[in-house]
Amino acid sequence: MPHDPRRFVDPGSAGRSRRAFLGGLAAGAAGAALLGPSSAFAEAVPSLAAKPPPGFTPLSIPGKIVKVTKGNSLQPNGLWPDASAAKVMLERAMAELTGKADLGAAFGRFVHKDDRVAIKANGIAGQKGATMATNKELVLEIVRGVIAAGVPAENVMIFEQYPSFLAGTRCADRTAKPAAEFPAGIRAAVHENKDAVMPSITVCGIPTKFVRPFTEATAVINVSLIKDHSICGYTGCLKNITHGATINPHSFHEHTASPQIAELYAQDVVKSRVRLHITDGFKLIYDQGPLDKNPKRRVLHESVYATTDPVAMDVIGWGVVEGWRKENGLPTLKEASREPSYIRIAGELGLGVFDKNKIAMREVRL
């Protein structure tokens, strides 16, 4: 696929300041204007955007987050949520977000019976003992909600990068066989950073592709975590998609992955698919992430968040991590030279609300 001048090309480490970044975007916009919608080049570039089923408009509420907290929500092992707690917490979060008390009706604001739904889990920190990953109990209730909204089970897929990551969620084993608790017919998959069929695109000067489990879906539900990250400072909603569903995530780590995470998420192939973000906040990691290397840095949070705004959610999650770092005498992420500036850039790109004063978070304690 030829290079598209409408895409921002990274000017290199010397030019990645906020001013240079926005200047590059402006230049790209000017180039697009010169091309015009009727140019031969514009016609040659296929659209990678997904379209909702005819007549269906998914709910989008920028800046709105629901947080549901429940004490004593974990099983005796202190690692995984009690199934009944996960169920009631998700139901309440979805009801508060959509105004629909019935879980199927609530998910019906985001998915249609004709959608193909992919659920992006996160199990990288759960590879050893499933200690820190998106939990099966929560993902199970999400799957039930999607099916209750009318989506056939065979059109629902849970996916992750590698077999060990998927197994860490306990949603499926290393062969991608779903756990027995899941409805018959749903599928699970791993892509191993190589299962991609879309044309190559260039983002920040780097060719890449999003993987087939992501691109073959018409709707994606992102089930993220709240974690410190040794490279980019924070990993939550945005990074779970950009670095969890591309063929070469390590190519986008330079300069604390900013602006790369924001630019990757800004692609039409992403924006048109990801409709809902649910954050598994039963536990969090506030230092030495993204792997679960130090159990002392993994703490209880006992919360579930729901939103359509990945930027706002990452702002909130980042703040939670900073709070724990301060309480434990650790430097801020900025002082540690890994401030997650990509979150701010994502806000500047219109991907969500970055200004904390404009984020409305409804907090419910059960």
Side-chain angles (χ1 to χ4, degrees), residues 7 14 22 39 58 93 98 115 120 124 129 132 135 148 163 168 203 240 243 246 248 259 273 301 309 336 342 348 350:
R7 299 185 187 279
L22 294 177
S39 72
T98 66
D115 273 315
K120 173 60 177 75
I124 188 173
M132 182 68 193
N135 289 285
V203 182
N240 194 41
H243 284 58
T246 49
N248 53 341
R273 282 174 171 79
H301 192 53
D309 189 329
Y342 70 86
E348 293 168 350

Side-chain angles (χ1 to χ4, degrees), residues 2-198:
H3 171 65
D4 183 346
R6 292 171 293 180
R7 299 185 187 279
F8 170 66
V9 177
D10 192 343
S13 59
R16 289 198 192 98
S17 68
R18 176 177 179 273
R19 181 174 298 176
F21 172 69
L22 294 177
L25 286 181
L34 290 173
L35 282 171
S38 62
S39 72
F41 181 82
E43 293 175 358
V45 178
S47 173
L48 299 172
K51 294 182 179 180
F56 179 69
T57 302
L59 179 65
S60 177
I61 319 173
K64 180 176 180 179
I65 301 172
V66 175
K67 175 187 179 183
V68 176
T69 301
K70 186 179 187 303
N72 300 313
S73 64
L74 298 189
Q75 297 180 30
N77 63 11
L79 295 174
W80 311 329
D82 179 81
S84 62
K87 182 177 187 294
V88 70
M89 292 167 77
L90 179 67
E91 287 175 343
R92 185 62 180 272
M94 293 298 291
E96 294 285 345
L97 184 64
T98 66
K100 302 289 186 181
D102 176 77
L103 190 63
F107 272 94
R109 299 302 308 274
F110 304 102
V111 298
H112 183 276
K113 64 179 181 63
D114 295 332
D115 273 315
R116 298 184 303 276
V117 180
I119 298 171
K120 173 60 177 75
N122 187 307
I124 188 173
Q127 297 176 76
K128 298 180 180 180
T131 58
M132 182 68 193
T134 48
N135 289 285
K136 172 182 68 176
E137 293 79 9
L138 182 61
V139 177
L140 175 60
E141 295 306 321
I142 294 169
V143 168
R144 287 172 172 165
V146 168
I147 293 175
V151 179
E154 58 269 24
N155 287 345
V156 180
M157 174 181 284
I158 303 164
F159 79 96
E160 245 294 21
Q161 284 178 274
Y162 295 104
S164 61
F165 294 12
L166 183 61
T169 69
R170 298 174 296 118
C171 292
D173 62 18
R174 286 172 176 259
T175 69
K177 179 182 178 181
E181 297 93 328
F182 284 90
I186 77 153
R187 296 171 294 150
V190 295
H191 58 77
E192 299 187 279
N193 295 347
K194 61 186 180 182
D195 182 7
V197 296
M198 66 173 275

Side-chain angles (χ1 to χ4, degrees), residues 270-298:
V270 176
K271 293 189 298 182
S272 64
R273 282 174 171 79
V274 186
R275 297 185 189 167
L276 177 64
H277 303 268
I278 297 172
T279 296
D280 182 326
F282 287 100
K283 305 178 301 293
L284 63 86
I285 292 175
Y286 65 88
D287 190 43
Q288 300 181 29
L291 300 179
D292 189 19
K293 293 182 177 180
N294 184 351
K296 293 181 180 179
R297 304 306 201 203
R298 176 190 357 112

Side-chain angles (χ1 to χ4, degrees), residues 220-357:
V220 175
I221 297 174
N222 183 20
V223 192
S224 61
L225 298 166
I226 296 174
K227 292 192 299 179
D228 167 273
H229 194 283
S230 61
I231 295 173
C232 66
Y234 178 77
T235 176
C237 291
L238 292 164
K239 190 173 184 295
N240 194 41
I241 295 297
T242 63
H243 284 58
T246 49
I247 60 170
N248 53 341
H250 293 93
S251 298
F252 296 93
H253 275 156
E254 188 181 357
H255 196 262
T256 63
S258 295
Q260 298 96 301
I261 292 173
E263 267 291 314
L264 283 164
Y265 201 97
Q267 303 304 308
D268 285 344
V269 64
V270 176
K271 293 189 298 182
S272 64
R273 282 174 171 79
V274 186
R275 297 185 189 167
L276 177 64
H277 303 268
I278 297 172
T279 296
D280 182 326
F282 287 100
K283 305 178 301 293
L284 63 86
I285 292 175
Y286 65 88
D287 190 43
Q288 300 181 29
L291 300 179
D292 189 19
K293 293 182 177 180
N294 184 351
K296 293 181 180 179
R297 304 306 201 203
R298 176 190 357 112
V299 294
L300 294 182
H301 192 53
E302 296 189 284
S303 299
V304 171
Y305 298 78
T307 185
T308 64
D309 189 329
V311 178
M313 184 61 232
D314 279 1
V315 169
I316 295 300
W318 173 14
V320 171
V321 166
E322 294 281 26
W324 276 98
R325 293 179 65 82
K326 181 177 180 180
E327 185 174 324
N328 286 273
L330 295 173
T332 66
L333 293 176
K334 183 175 183 178
E335 292 168 345
S337 300
R338 49 194 177 94
E339 181 181 24
S341 57
Y342 70 86
I343 302 174
R344 183 194 71 247
I345 295 169
E348 293 168 350
L349 289 176
L351 302 177
V353 177
F354 178 77
D355 184 348
K356 196 169 183 178
N357 294 321

